[in-house]
Tab-separated table of all heavy atoms in Angstrom:
chain	number	residue	atom	x	y	z
F	14	THR	N	85.663	83.571	90.751
F	14	THR	CA	86.519	84.664	90.321
F	14	THR	C	87.263	85.338	91.451
F	14	THR	O	88.390	85.698	91.430
F	14	THR	CB	85.829	85.667	89.323
F	14	THR	OG1	85.231	84.934	88.340
F	14	THR	CG2	86.713	86.727	88.938
F	15	ILE	N	86.414	85.657	92.467
F	15	ILE	CA	86.973	86.381	93.622
F	15	ILE	C	88.001	85.544	94.332
F	15	ILE	O	89.052	85.934	94.756
F	15	ILE	CB	85.802	86.702	94.577
F	15	ILE	CG1	84.877	87.733	93.934
F	15	ILE	CG2	86.364	87.259	95.944
F	15	ILE	CD1	83.616	87.971	94.832
F	16	ILE	N	87.792	84.228	94.497
F	16	ILE	CA	88.708	83.355	95.166
F	16	ILE	C	89.989	83.205	94.299
F	16	ILE	O	91.061	83.297	94.891
F	16	ILE	CB	88.087	81.939	95.306
F	16	ILE	CG1	86.868	81.973	96.267
F	16	ILE	CG2	89.187	80.927	95.755
F	16	ILE	CD1	86.173	80.717	96.386
F	17	ARG	N	89.873	83.105	92.972
F	17	ARG	CA	91.091	83.112	92.168
F	17	ARG	C	91.944	84.393	92.276
F	17	ARG	O	93.178	84.316	92.397
F	17	ARG	CB	90.713	82.850	90.711
F	17	ARG	CG	90.305	81.370	90.374
F	17	ARG	CD	90.363	81.186	88.850
F	17	ARG	NE	89.452	82.117	88.141
F	17	ARG	CZ	88.267	81.716	87.874
F	17	ARG	NH1	87.710	80.524	88.129
F	17	ARG	NH2	87.346	82.655	87.198
F	18	GLU	N	91.253	85.521	92.364
F	18	GLU	CA	91.932	86.770	92.457
F	18	GLU	C	92.622	86.970	93.836
F	18	GLU	O	93.779	87.367	93.901
F	18	GLU	CB	90.976	87.971	92.223
F	18	GLU	CG	91.555	89.369	92.246
F	18	GLU	CD	92.639	89.520	91.183
F	18	GLU	OE1	92.602	88.790	90.215
F	18	GLU	OE2	93.493	90.420	91.339
F	19	ARG	N	91.888	86.453	94.789
F	19	ARG	CA	92.482	86.485	96.233
F	19	ARG	C	93.819	85.597	96.235
F	19	ARG	O	94.794	85.949	96.810
F	19	ARG	CB	91.433	85.967	97.260
F	19	ARG	CG	91.946	85.930	98.627
F	19	ARG	CD	92.248	87.393	99.050
F	19	ARG	NE	92.673	87.502	100.440
F	19	ARG	CZ	94.034	87.300	100.800
F	19	ARG	NH1	94.962	87.188	99.807
F	19	ARG	NH2	94.430	87.466	101.996
F	20	LEU	N	93.729	84.439	95.604
F	20	LEU	CA	94.981	83.571	95.558
F	20	LEU	C	96.015	84.181	94.756
F	20	LEU	O	97.191	84.114	95.063
F	20	LEU	CB	94.539	82.183	95.014
F	20	LEU	CG	93.604	81.329	95.834
F	20	LEU	CD1	93.179	80.128	95.183
F	20	LEU	CD2	94.331	80.984	97.130
F	21	ARG	N	95.646	84.896	93.672
F	21	ARG	CA	96.717	85.555	92.826
F	21	ARG	C	97.435	86.635	93.586
F	21	ARG	O	98.637	86.812	93.504
F	21	ARG	CB	96.022	86.128	91.590
F	21	ARG	CG	97.054	86.650	90.649
F	21	ARG	CD	96.394	87.377	89.504
F	21	ARG	NE	95.733	88.688	89.915
F	21	ARG	CZ	96.467	89.855	90.064
F	21	ARG	NH1	97.779	89.844	89.811
F	21	ARG	NH2	95.734	90.933	90.435
F	22	GLN	N	96.636	87.436	94.262
F	22	GLN	CA	97.149	88.659	95.014
F	22	GLN	C	98.060	88.099	96.271
F	22	GLN	O	99.018	88.732	96.654
F	22	GLN	CB	96.035	89.505	95.551
F	22	GLN	CG	95.446	90.269	94.438
F	22	GLN	CD	94.531	91.351	94.962
F	22	GLN	OE1	94.616	91.830	96.066
F	22	GLN	NE2	93.509	91.828	94.067
F	23	GLY	N	97.630	87.070	96.932
F	23	GLY	CA	98.427	86.541	98.037
F	23	GLY	C	98.166	87.397	99.299
F	23	GLY	O	97.259	88.263	99.402
F	24	HIS	N	99.077	87.219	100.302
F	24	HIS	CA	98.906	87.991	101.609
F	24	HIS	C	99.593	89.272	101.537
F	24	HIS	O	100.778	89.354	101.219
F	24	HIS	CB	99.653	87.073	102.652
F	24	HIS	CG	99.457	87.592	104.014
F	24	HIS	ND1	98.315	87.326	104.750
F	24	HIS	CD2	100.304	88.262	104.900
F	24	HIS	CE1	98.373	87.897	105.910
F	24	HIS	NE2	99.603	88.468	106.011
F	25	ARG	N	98.812	90.397	101.715
F	25	ARG	CA	99.299	91.685	101.473
F	25	ARG	C	99.593	92.331	102.886
F	25	ARG	O	100.205	93.446	102.879
F	25	ARG	CB	98.274	92.545	100.801
F	25	ARG	CG	97.980	92.073	99.400
F	25	ARG	CD	99.291	92.258	98.535
F	25	ARG	NE	99.036	91.905	97.086
F	25	ARG	CZ	98.702	92.726	96.198
F	25	ARG	NH1	98.581	94.003	96.556
F	25	ARG	NH2	98.608	92.368	94.850
F	26	THR	N	99.178	91.832	103.992
F	26	THR	CA	99.439	92.538	105.251
F	26	THR	C	100.887	92.387	105.757
F	26	THR	O	101.459	91.311	105.624
F	26	THR	CB	98.430	91.906	106.402
F	26	THR	OG1	97.067	92.044	105.914
F	26	THR	CG2	98.652	92.617	107.732
F	27	SER	N	101.450	93.489	106.170
F	27	SER	CA	102.779	93.501	106.571
F	27	SER	C	103.025	92.542	107.721
F	27	SER	O	102.183	92.390	108.655
F	27	SER	CB	103.206	94.923	106.954
F	27	SER	OG	104.412	94.937	107.708
F	28	ARG	N	104.199	91.930	107.849
F	28	ARG	CA	104.553	91.046	108.926
F	28	ARG	C	105.191	91.807	110.128
F	28	ARG	O	105.637	91.268	111.140
F	28	ARG	CB	105.501	90.009	108.548
F	28	ARG	CG	104.971	89.076	107.392
F	28	ARG	CD	105.844	87.938	107.076
F	28	ARG	NE	105.389	87.161	105.983
F	28	ARG	CZ	104.469	86.197	106.171
F	28	ARG	NH1	103.938	85.956	107.398
F	28	ARG	NH2	104.015	85.471	105.162
F	29	TYR	N	105.163	93.125	110.075
F	29	TYR	CA	105.608	93.952	111.167
F	29	TYR	C	104.713	93.665	112.438
F	29	TYR	O	103.456	93.656	112.251
F	29	TYR	CB	105.551	95.459	110.831
F	29	TYR	CG	106.133	96.368	111.712
F	29	TYR	CD1	107.543	96.658	111.870
F	29	TYR	CD2	105.333	96.979	112.761
F	29	TYR	CE1	108.036	97.446	112.822
F	29	TYR	CE2	105.855	97.880	113.709
F	29	TYR	CZ	107.225	98.131	113.668
F	29	TYR	OH	107.755	98.972	114.598
F	30	PRO	N	105.277	93.585	113.590
F	30	PRO	CA	106.718	93.783	114.001
F	30	PRO	C	107.601	92.549	113.971
F	30	PRO	O	108.660	92.630	114.413
F	30	PRO	CB	106.555	94.421	115.388
F	30	PRO	CG	105.327	93.666	116.006
F	30	PRO	CD	104.362	93.498	114.733
F	31	LYS	N	107.045	91.440	113.605
F	31	LYS	CA	107.873	90.252	113.477
F	31	LYS	C	109.054	90.409	112.523
F	31	LYS	O	110.041	89.807	112.650
F	31	LYS	CB	107.057	89.124	113.070
F	31	LYS	CG	105.967	88.585	114.218
F	31	LYS	CD	105.356	87.389	113.739
F	31	LYS	CE	104.339	86.946	114.894
F	31	LYS	NZ	103.578	85.724	114.478
F	32	GLU	N	108.821	91.220	111.497
F	32	GLU	CA	109.849	91.411	110.512
F	32	GLU	C	109.961	92.956	110.339
F	32	GLU	O	108.921	93.730	110.196
F	32	GLU	CB	109.529	90.830	109.127
F	32	GLU	CG	109.553	89.394	109.114
F	32	GLU	CD	109.209	88.743	107.784
F	32	GLU	OE1	109.188	89.535	106.855
F	32	GLU	OE2	109.009	87.527	107.734
F	33	GLU	N	111.145	93.582	110.238
F	33	GLU	CA	111.404	94.982	110.047
F	33	GLU	C	110.870	95.340	108.625
F	33	GLU	O	111.006	94.624	107.649
F	33	GLU	CB	112.885	95.316	110.129
F	33	GLU	CG	113.356	95.305	111.631
F	33	GLU	CD	112.679	96.381	112.395
F	33	GLU	OE1	112.706	97.487	112.035
F	33	GLU	OE2	112.075	95.988	113.444
F	34	PRO	N	110.257	96.580	108.547
F	34	PRO	CA	109.778	96.921	107.234
F	34	PRO	C	110.895	97.345	106.308
F	34	PRO	O	111.984	97.789	106.775
F	34	PRO	CB	108.981	98.169	107.645
F	34	PRO	CG	109.604	98.732	108.864
F	34	PRO	CD	109.994	97.522	109.638
F	35	THR	N	110.674	97.226	105.017
F	35	THR	CA	111.617	97.604	103.989
F	35	THR	C	111.194	98.960	103.433
F	35	THR	O	110.112	99.046	102.824
F	35	THR	CB	111.692	96.558	102.827
F	35	THR	OG1	112.067	95.326	103.342
F	35	THR	CG2	112.638	97.073	101.752
F	36	LEU	N	111.874	99.971	103.746
F	36	LEU	CA	111.566	101.362	103.331
F	36	LEU	C	112.336	101.824	102.200
F	36	LEU	O	113.525	101.365	101.926
F	36	LEU	CB	111.753	102.245	104.536
F	36	LEU	CG	110.798	101.881	105.765
F	36	LEU	CD1	111.272	102.768	106.935
F	36	LEU	CD2	109.434	102.146	105.442
F	37	PRO	N	111.845	102.785	101.338
F	37	PRO	CA	112.575	103.162	100.155
F	37	PRO	C	113.807	103.940	100.409
F	37	PRO	O	114.021	104.431	101.590
F	37	PRO	CB	111.484	104.035	99.388
F	37	PRO	CG	110.607	104.482	100.488
F	37	PRO	CD	110.600	103.351	101.485
F	38	GLU	N	114.762	103.924	99.545
F	38	GLU	CA	115.979	104.731	99.706
F	38	GLU	C	115.793	106.155	100.031
F	38	GLU	O	116.547	106.764	100.810
F	38	GLU	CB	116.855	104.547	98.412
F	38	GLU	CG	117.432	103.184	98.175
F	38	GLU	CD	118.520	102.816	99.135
F	38	GLU	OE1	119.071	103.704	99.723
F	38	GLU	OE2	118.797	101.622	99.199
F	39	ARG	N	114.726	106.761	99.535
F	39	ARG	CA	114.512	108.118	99.704
F	39	ARG	C	113.902	108.458	101.046
F	39	ARG	O	113.689	109.654	101.409
F	39	ARG	CB	113.651	108.806	98.652
F	39	ARG	CG	112.266	108.223	98.538
F	39	ARG	CD	111.519	108.868	97.385
F	39	ARG	NE	110.131	108.381	97.263
F	39	ARG	CZ	109.283	108.792	96.348
F	39	ARG	NH1	109.621	109.778	95.563
F	39	ARG	NH2	108.018	108.319	96.495
F	40	PHE	N	113.490	107.503	101.778
F	40	PHE	CA	112.972	107.751	103.138
F	40	PHE	C	113.893	108.400	104.035
F	40	PHE	O	114.954	107.989	104.220
F	40	PHE	CB	112.366	106.338	103.698
F	40	PHE	CG	111.875	106.464	105.167
F	40	PHE	CD1	110.713	107.125	105.423
F	40	PHE	CD2	112.654	105.908	106.217
F	40	PHE	CE1	110.240	107.244	106.722
F	40	PHE	CE2	112.262	106.037	107.444
F	40	PHE	CZ	110.948	106.742	107.784
F	41	ARG	N	113.362	109.425	104.762
F	41	ARG	CA	114.181	110.209	105.725
F	41	ARG	C	113.795	109.749	107.184
F	41	ARG	O	112.716	110.182	107.549
F	41	ARG	CB	114.058	111.641	105.528
F	41	ARG	CG	114.715	112.123	104.182
F	41	ARG	CD	114.275	113.536	103.905
F	41	ARG	NE	114.736	113.874	102.511
F	41	ARG	CZ	114.256	114.947	101.879
F	41	ARG	NH1	113.408	115.804	102.533
F	41	ARG	NH2	114.765	115.283	100.723
F	42	GLY	N	114.529	109.022	107.784
F	42	GLY	CA	114.278	108.591	109.163
F	42	GLY	C	115.076	109.367	110.156
F	42	GLY	O	115.432	110.446	110.005
F	43	ARG	N	115.406	108.642	111.307
F	43	ARG	CA	116.058	109.237	112.312
F	43	ARG	C	117.428	109.827	111.955
F	43	ARG	O	118.248	109.124	111.389
F	43	ARG	CB	116.311	108.215	113.487
F	43	ARG	CG	116.779	108.936	114.815
F	43	ARG	CD	117.348	107.955	115.776
F	43	ARG	NE	116.404	106.876	116.097
F	43	ARG	CZ	116.608	105.815	116.869
F	43	ARG	NH1	117.923	105.696	117.354
F	43	ARG	NH2	115.770	104.943	117.052
F	44	PRO	N	117.667	111.099	112.221
F	44	PRO	CA	119.037	111.704	111.899
F	44	PRO	C	120.128	111.209	112.609
F	44	PRO	O	119.954	110.751	113.697
F	44	PRO	CB	118.753	113.205	112.182
F	44	PRO	CG	117.244	113.390	112.205
F	44	PRO	CD	116.764	112.116	112.711
F	45	ILE	N	121.250	111.229	112.057
F	45	ILE	CA	122.500	110.818	112.642
F	45	ILE	C	123.453	111.873	112.673
F	45	ILE	O	123.762	112.512	111.522
F	45	ILE	CB	123.137	109.522	111.993
F	45	ILE	CG1	122.155	108.323	112.108
F	45	ILE	CG2	124.488	109.181	112.618
F	45	ILE	CD1	122.613	107.102	111.376
F	46	LEU	N	123.915	112.343	113.842
F	46	LEU	CA	124.911	113.453	113.950
F	46	LEU	C	126.293	112.925	114.261
F	46	LEU	O	126.406	111.938	115.063
F	46	LEU	CB	124.475	114.415	114.989
F	46	LEU	CG	123.153	115.022	114.949
F	46	LEU	CD1	122.802	116.075	116.150
F	46	LEU	CD2	122.887	115.732	113.602
F	47	LYS	N	127.241	113.436	113.619
F	47	LYS	CA	128.657	113.058	113.793
F	47	LYS	C	129.413	114.280	114.151
F	47	LYS	O	130.035	114.928	113.310
F	47	LYS	CB	129.352	112.379	112.517
F	47	LYS	CG	128.579	111.126	112.218
F	47	LYS	CD	129.289	110.404	111.056
F	47	LYS	CE	128.525	109.005	110.791
F	47	LYS	NZ	129.226	108.287	109.674
F	48	PRO	N	129.396	114.716	115.463
F	48	PRO	CA	129.951	116.011	115.943
F	48	PRO	C	131.454	116.091	115.730
F	48	PRO	O	132.008	117.182	115.424
F	48	PRO	CB	129.669	116.006	117.320
F	48	PRO	CG	129.453	114.556	117.794
F	48	PRO	CD	128.823	113.923	116.605
F	49	GLU	N	132.226	114.917	115.605
F	49	GLU	CA	133.701	114.998	115.303
F	49	GLU	C	133.954	115.572	113.930
F	49	GLU	O	135.160	116.013	113.735
F	49	GLU	CB	134.290	113.584	115.570
F	49	GLU	CG	133.815	112.588	114.527
F	49	GLU	CD	132.555	111.890	114.819
F	49	GLU	OE1	131.862	112.285	115.674
F	49	GLU	OE2	132.252	110.894	114.016
F	50	ARG	N	133.026	115.461	113.077
F	50	ARG	CA	133.147	115.980	111.734
F	50	ARG	C	132.850	117.473	111.578
F	50	ARG	O	132.980	118.079	110.476
F	50	ARG	CB	132.363	115.202	110.745
F	50	ARG	CG	132.817	113.766	110.541
F	50	ARG	CD	132.128	113.030	109.409
F	50	ARG	NE	132.590	111.674	109.277
F	50	ARG	CZ	132.057	110.897	108.221
F	50	ARG	NH1	131.165	111.395	107.367
F	50	ARG	NH2	132.558	109.662	108.130
F	51	CYS	N	132.181	118.020	112.544
F	51	CYS	CA	131.811	119.455	112.567
F	51	CYS	C	132.853	120.393	113.030
F	51	CYS	O	133.099	120.438	114.250
F	51	CYS	CB	130.504	119.592	113.347
F	51	CYS	SG	129.685	121.126	113.105
F	52	PRO	N	133.489	121.129	112.097
F	52	PRO	CA	134.633	121.961	112.593
F	52	PRO	C	134.057	123.198	113.354
F	52	PRO	O	132.915	123.668	113.130
F	52	PRO	CB	135.231	122.469	111.213
F	52	PRO	CG	134.156	122.304	110.277
F	52	PRO	CD	133.317	121.184	110.722
C-alpha cells in the first residue's frame, strides 16, 4: 500500500535551481521602479 501510494504521488521535490520556480500571481517579489513615469 505504501509503495502504491508513493507511485501515485510521484516526485514532489522541486527541481530548483535547475528549473525556475512557478510562483502564484499574487506573489510580491522584487519591486520595479519606472522613474520616467513619476511626475
Side-chain angles (χ1 to χ4, degrees):
T14 302
I15 294 175
I16 293 173
R17 281 198 300 267
E18 183 61 21
R19 182 67 182 85
L20 291 173
R21 185 188 70 81
Q22 291 190 19
H24 188 78
R25 295 297 183 93
T26 303
S27 164
R28 297 186 183 278
Y29 184 84
K31 291 183 179 179
E32 294 180 8
E33 287 295 306
T35 301
L36 298 170
E38 290 288 341
R39 65 181 182 176
F40 172 71
R41 295 170 187 162
R43 190 194 307 175
I45 296 176
L46 302 184
K47 296 184 177 180
E49 68 278 3
R50 294 188 179 183
C51 190

